[in-house]
Amino acid sequence: MIPVVVIGAGMAGVACARRLADAGLAPVVLDKGRGIGGRVATRRADAMQFDHGAQYATAQGAGFGAVLERLSRDGVVATWDDGSGRAHRVGVPGMSALPKALAQGLDVRQGAQVRRVVRDGDGWHVDLGADSLQVARVVMTVPAPQVAGLLGADHPLVDAIRDVRMAPCLTLMAAVDAPAPFTVQRDDDDDLAWIAQDSGKPGRPGGTLWVAQASEAFSVAHLEEDAAGVTALMLPLLCDRLGVNVSAVTHAASHRWRYARTTQALGQRFLSQDDTLFVGGDWCLGARIEAAWDSGTAIGNAILQQR
């Protein structure tokens, strides 16, 4: 029987597994995707790259602050002067470098789609379709709306998180052959709520590369558009904000984050059942990378206290 399985290799899952591994346990991390970090992500296209999820990290607490300082000394994190006057930290060479550094040495199994988690005696049965695992403790760090699909709609933990709300976000990535008129533009009331010159971050390749993230209202309205349709909708808006003709665009692509931003948090670091099942993520505390790290680390500490 595997002692601990963590479902989800986003920041919360990686933080939990890191805490357990550093204490001598051997957690197994399962993730349905091909990358580590979840929404702390970097998309690569030819010689270009875009931070198409979380744009930067900040630390309000000493714990995550110490993590960022250590990674900064290791050259994995740098400070981005985006004109805000705040210490915004970014991964180098991309945001995904941050979770990848924390996941170093962990047993992360990618392309592992968990279908169901069912109580089995003193432990849990994790159904992977063609395979299954018998597990003593399960940690779920998936987005809150996905917990019901794994545990069943009638599970008490599903009822406990019913008020959590997560909003989608549509993201445009574009290469533009024109001078950059600004570094960052933010307007929560605009269809493009966030526009950043992504290539201006430390350690990035050349070119003038942009990431634009749509407002909640725009994202909800166009959530079911395909990628080509989203690109066609967002690209003219970006060109307008940059003051360029669409002919200056040499590359454009889009990405749909169905569960991108926590708009109503749980209000505590995690929930658990019988000290063997834990659910957590940034949705517990708020829409920040630090919130995910805090939640995952707190779950790791709770498991270690049982030893």
Side-chain angles (χ1 to χ4, degrees):
M1 181 178 288
I2 298 173
V4 183
V5 157
V6 179
I7 302 173
M11 180 57 72
V14 167
C16 179
R18 179 79 275 151
R19 180 70 185 94
L20 296 175
D22 287 348
L25 296 185
V28 173
V29 183
L30 305 176
D31 195 277
K32 66 181 179 180
R34 295 178 296 173
I36 292 173
R39 284 164 280 154
V40 188
T42 302
R43 169 80 64 85
R44 290 172 177 80
D46 298 325
M48 299 173 289
Q49 67 174 50
F50 304 87
D51 293 333
H52 64 303
Q55 294 294 291
Y56 56 81
T58 59
Q60 296 179 355
F64 190 59
V67 170
L68 292 182
E69 287 302 322
R70 175 174 60 80
L71 294 179
S72 180
R73 292 193 298 270
D74 293 342
V76 176
V77 166
T79 300
W80 177 36
D81 182 6
D82 61 358
S84 67
R86 299 184 62 194
H88 287 167
R89 305 293 189 90
V90 296
V92 177
M95 284 300 295
S96 62
L98 200 165
K100 286 179 179 178
L102 295 180
Q104 192 71 32
L106 297 178
D107 183 357
V108 180
R109 304 178 188 181
Q110 296 168 298
Q113 175 74 60
V114 176
R115 297 187 175 184
R116 194 78 166 176
V117 176
V118 180
R119 188 74 179 186
D120 187 7
D122 293 334
W124 295 87
H125 178 86
V126 178
D127 179 11
L128 294 166
D131 195 9
S132 64
L133 300 174
Q134 296 302 119
V135 183
R137 296 180 181 87
V138 174
V139 178
M140 293 184 182
T141 61
V142 299
Q146 294 180 342
V147 173
L150 298 179
L151 291 177
D154 59 346
H155 194 280
L157 290 185
V158 173
D159 183 63
I161 63 176
R162 67 184 182 279
D163 293 331
V164 172
R165 296 289 179 268
M166 300 188 75
C169 180
L170 299 177
T171 298
L172 177 70
M173 299 157 276
V176 179
D177 186 14
F182 53 81
T183 300
V184 167
Q185 183 171 291
R186 179 171 185 171
D187 183 350
D188 293 340
D189 295 324
D190 195 281
D191 285 341
L192 300 188
W194 169 271
I195 305 172
Q197 186 198 350
D198 201 61
S199 52
K201 295 175 180 177
R204 269 48 178 185
T208 306
L209 309 180
W210 294 91
V211 168
Q213 295 181 326
S215 66
E216 180 179 343
F218 185 97
S219 297
V220 169
H222 302 289
L223 185 61
E224 302 307 329
E225 292 275 355
D226 62 18
V230 171
T231 302
L233 287 168
M234 294 183 68
L235 188 57
L237 299 178
L238 176 62
C239 290
D240 176 72
R241 307 308 186 266
L242 298 179
V244 301
N245 190 281
V246 71
S247 62
V249 177
T250 59
H251 171 85
S254 61
H255 183 86
R256 174 177 57 196
W257 297 102
R258 188 173 292 277
Y259 305 114
R261 303 187 184 101
T262 300
T263 56
Q264 183 167 319
L266 177 67
Q268 60 190 82
R269 286 182 169 84
F270 63 89
L271 292 175
S272 65
Q273 179 187 42
D274 301 330
D275 292 328
T276 61
L277 176 66
F278 301 81
V279 294
D282 62 348
W283 50 267
C284 289
L285 299 171
R288 301 172 61 245
I289 295 175
E290 184 178 21
W293 184 89
D294 279 344
S295 176
T297 300
I299 294 174
N301 287 333
I303 292 173
L304 292 175
Q305 287 173 4
Q306 301 170 17
R307 298 173 71 183

